[in-house]
Amino acid sequence: MIEILTPTELLRAKDSGTLVANILYTLKDRCTVGTNLLEINQWAKEMILEAGAQSCYVDYAPSFGRGPFGHYICTGVNDAVLHGKPHDYALANGDLLTLDLAVSLRGIAADSAISFIVGDSKPAESVAMIEVTERALRAGIAAARPGARIGDLSYAIGSVLTDAGYPVNVEFGGHGIGSTMHQDPHVPNMGRPGRGYKLRPGLLLALEPWVMADTAQLVTDADGWTLRSVTGCRTAHSEHTIAITADGAEILTLPNLGG
């Protein structure tokens, strides 16, 4: 299903996006050496419920997962890049942590992910990988406007990733979003310009460049959810929910922690 939101729904989408971003950046500030992934999940739960929102993850049970996810946030450490299921692990100095969060507020969902390094140790290769995903995300957003096609966004994202030397996996990527978290169209992180669905005002997309340092192959963890690099290399993931407007793309998942 490809859903086009009404102006009223787009206003609600902005609130959902701000909430997701505020929670993510609050969690980022709280994550220090020794923080347990289960603590992060509990904090996310408390903030979601306090806002009167609903988790998109707790009851989520797609074909690629094993049963309901059962947690409120995805927490990926080092080689875990997607769908990281929180578990009993205390963050170490220099860990590369990805937080991926989707919530629904007043019937509209928003989805975002950030990657960052915990503690004082900042491995240069990890910093560079995170920056590449962020740059690819900006490129995809810049290509998003009415009349553009999904392939234009995918090409913009993929060009940044491949130019930086990273292999690209196209099995999992960005997606439409709205009254539900995952909708058509699929937005792979590599593609051909001029191909695919033509963007229209009112369309929401979650764009999410992610890479693994030296492979494009994933392996599923024993928990049935967490996707890791097959070589054990580090990974990074950046994501925003955007709205297609008459003037281009509006990023919805930006924090407003002062308001």
Side-chain angles (χ1 to χ4, degrees):
M1 178 181 72
I2 295 178
E3 190 173 36
I4 302 298
L5 273 61
T6 66
T8 299
E9 290 170 330
L10 284 172
L11 290 175
R12 301 210 303 269
K14 293 180 182 182
D15 292 338
S16 302
T18 300
L19 174 62
V20 167
N22 285 353
I23 292 174
L24 283 178
Y25 281 90
T26 298
L27 292 173
K28 180 181 179 181
D29 287 344
R30 292 185 184 181
C31 288
T32 59
V33 174
T35 298
N36 194 290
L37 300 184
L38 294 176
E39 288 183 277
I40 299 172
N41 182 70
Q42 181 62 31
W43 294 334
K45 175 182 178 180
E46 291 168 358
M47 286 185 277
I48 291 169
L49 297 182
E50 181 180 357
Q54 295 78 44
S55 168
C56 293
Y57 292 163
V58 171
D59 298 323
Y60 187 52
S63 59
F64 56 79
R66 190 172 68 207
F69 186 71
H71 291 75
Y72 287 77
I73 191 168
C74 295
T75 55
V77 181
N78 296 331
D79 65 329
V81 65
L82 297 174
H83 315 151
K85 195 167 187 177
H87 60 283
D88 184 12
Y89 174 80
L91 293 168
N93 190 32
D95 275 346
L96 197 165
L97 176 63
T98 296
L99 301 178
D100 190 351
L101 178 68
V103 304
S104 179
L105 180 65
R106 293 188 292 148
I108 303 295
D111 192 0
S112 185
I114 56 175
S115 289
F116 56 95
I117 300 171
V118 177
D120 298 325
S121 177
K122 307 291 185 185
E125 297 85 354
S126 297
V127 171
M129 183 163 51
I130 293 169
E131 290 176 347
V132 165
T133 65
E134 293 171 346
R135 193 164 73 248
L137 180 56
R138 291 194 296 271
I141 293 169
R145 58 188 180 275
R149 294 187 179 273
I150 291 297
D152 300 327
L153 281 61
S154 296
Y155 177 77
I157 291 169
S159 295
V160 173
L161 301 179
T162 56
D163 286 351
Y166 293 102
V168 178
N169 176 297
V170 295
E171 182 181 3
F172 294 95
H175 51 89
I177 187 169
S179 59
T180 57
M181 174 176 59
H182 281 152
Q183 300 180 357
D184 291 331
H186 174 58
V187 189
N189 286 325
M190 180 184 291
R192 298 175 64 182
R195 301 296 182 92
Y197 180 77
K198 185 182 289 187
L199 308 189
R200 298 166 50 192
L203 176 70
L204 295 192
L205 294 172
L207 303 184
E208 47 181 313
W210 58 273
V211 293
M212 301 176 283
D214 61 18
T215 183
Q217 293 186 317
L218 294 163
V219 62
T220 304
D221 202 45
D223 64 16
W225 275 97
T226 304
L227 295 177
R228 300 183 183 275
S229 61
V230 72
T231 62
C233 68
R234 284 195 164 195
T235 65
H237 179 190
S238 297
E239 179 179 15
H240 272 311
T241 295
I242 64 171
I244 306 303
T245 73
D247 300 319
E250 180 179 0
I251 302 173
L252 302 185
T253 43
L254 293 174
N256 181 21
L257 296 173

